Amino acid sequence: MTPDVASTAAPFTLRELRWSDLESLRETYYLLYDERETNPEIGITLFATRPSPADEVAWFAQLYRAVLAGDAVCVVADVDGRSVGSCTVRRAAPTAESEGAHVAELGILVHRDYRGHGVGRALLARALRECEGRFETVFLRVFSVNVRARRLYEEFGFVRTGTLPREIRRGNRYFDAEIMFKHLVAAPNR
Ligand SMILES: CC(C)(COP(=O)(O)OP(=O)(O)OC[C@H]1O[C@@H](n2cnc3c(N)ncnc32)[C@H](O)[C@@H]1OP(=O)(O)O)[C@@H](O)C(=O)NCCC(=O)NCCS
């Protein structure tokens, strides 16, 4: 583990994804479905109902494979061996041979009990650093109403390039999404 610790109420370290992270990542993700009940504006696109544990295993296996294949960067915030947050930057194109292989999409999620303590900022900083030399452009989608997250991305140099109106339909309510991007140092040999 790296001593990349921010000053926070919950000391954490940053590390790469491990196969054993499945359970804690799934717990953090499942909690979003409870959060949505009390906070209909929770800023992550979800399914109508929780995916099954089997779906989660399939999702995790795909992510892990992408990391091993060099198609994704995934940084985990660790407290006592468990993930309390993760930031994934994943090649948008299906293979490294694609003409779009230099572009990747970023996603970030911190466990609800650990938000507001610098975990997200630390994850972003590390993930973007690890993307250098691998991807040239990183983009993301963020709910337009998620003003705090948007501010955080701007702090890291993400620029808003447009709005996708009504991108998310949650029950009978629509949410717009902002598309934001950041150019990194050009990857070698491309
Ligand atoms: C957005 C998120 C990843 C930020 O991580 P975090 O660990 O809470 O953020 P940090 O503690 O590092 O704070 C960084 C900044 O993010 C902002 N922020 C965004 N969402 C926040 C939240 N729910 N709670 C606290 N701070 C939040 C803060 O304003 C903070 O800025 P400040 O230090 O100038 O006050 C995290 O809150 C989260 O997972 N939220 C729910 C899912 C989500 O919205 N993901 C983004 C999808 S695009």
Side-chain angles (χ1 to χ4, degrees):
M1 286 186 203
T2 339
D4 205 340
V5 186
S7 98
T8 167
F12 62 93
T13 51
L14 300 179
R15 60 166 170 79
E16 61 194 19
L17 183 70
R18 291 182 191 147
W19 186 250
S20 55
D21 288 324
L22 166 63
E23 280 308 313
S24 43
L25 289 183
R26 189 177 66 172
E27 182 199 319
T28 300
Y29 177 68
Y30 273 180
L31 281 171
L32 289 171
Y33 287 81
D34 301 334
E35 284 187 77
R36 187 174 57 181
E37 300 293 315
T38 51
N39 174 14
E41 295 191 350
I42 183 76
I44 283 199
T45 309
L46 301 171
F47 295 98
T49 55
R50 266 179 203 185
S52 69
D55 288 338
E56 286 299 287
V57 171
W59 166 82
F60 184 78
Q62 271 191 358
L63 171 64
Y64 200 75
R65 188 181 190 289
V67 170
L68 291 180
D71 291 329
V73 160
C74 183
V75 180
V76 164
D78 179 302
V79 173
D80 297 333
R82 289 179 65 78
S83 158
V84 297
S86 60
C87 181
T88 301
V89 190
R90 196 164 181 163
R91 198 189 304 284
T95 77
E97 299 306 310
S98 162
E99 290 178 339
H102 57 296
V103 179
E105 182 167 6
L106 182 145
I108 184 167
L109 173 61
V110 173
H111 188 290
R112 67 177 179 194
D113 296 343
Y114 291 84
R115 291 181 200 147
H117 295 295
V119 175
R121 187 177 272 121
L123 282 169
L124 260 178
R126 172 68 76 87
L128 289 172
R129 219 163 51 231
E130 291 191 9
C131 285
E132 284 172 17
R134 189 188 301 249
F135 303 122
E136 291 178 28
T137 301
V138 176
F139 76 95
L140 59 87
R141 287 163 221 255
V142 53
F143 279 43
S144 304
V145 290
N146 201 346
V147 177
R148 299 170 84 181
R150 287 171 59 185
R151 216 179 293 134
L152 178 63
Y153 298 136
E154 280 166 8
E155 202 185 294
F156 279 85
F158 280 88
V159 175
R160 179 183 159 279
T161 185
T163 304
L164 194 47
R166 295 159 68 96
E167 197 211 10
I168 302 105
R169 192 179 69 203
R170 179 167 287 170
N172 55 10
R173 192 170 163 195
Y174 289 91
F175 292 89
D176 296 347
E178 306 299 321
I179 315 293
M180 301 181 81
F181 74 94
K182 178 182 169 71
H183 289 312
L184 305 176
V185 182
N189 307 320
R190 293 200 65 95

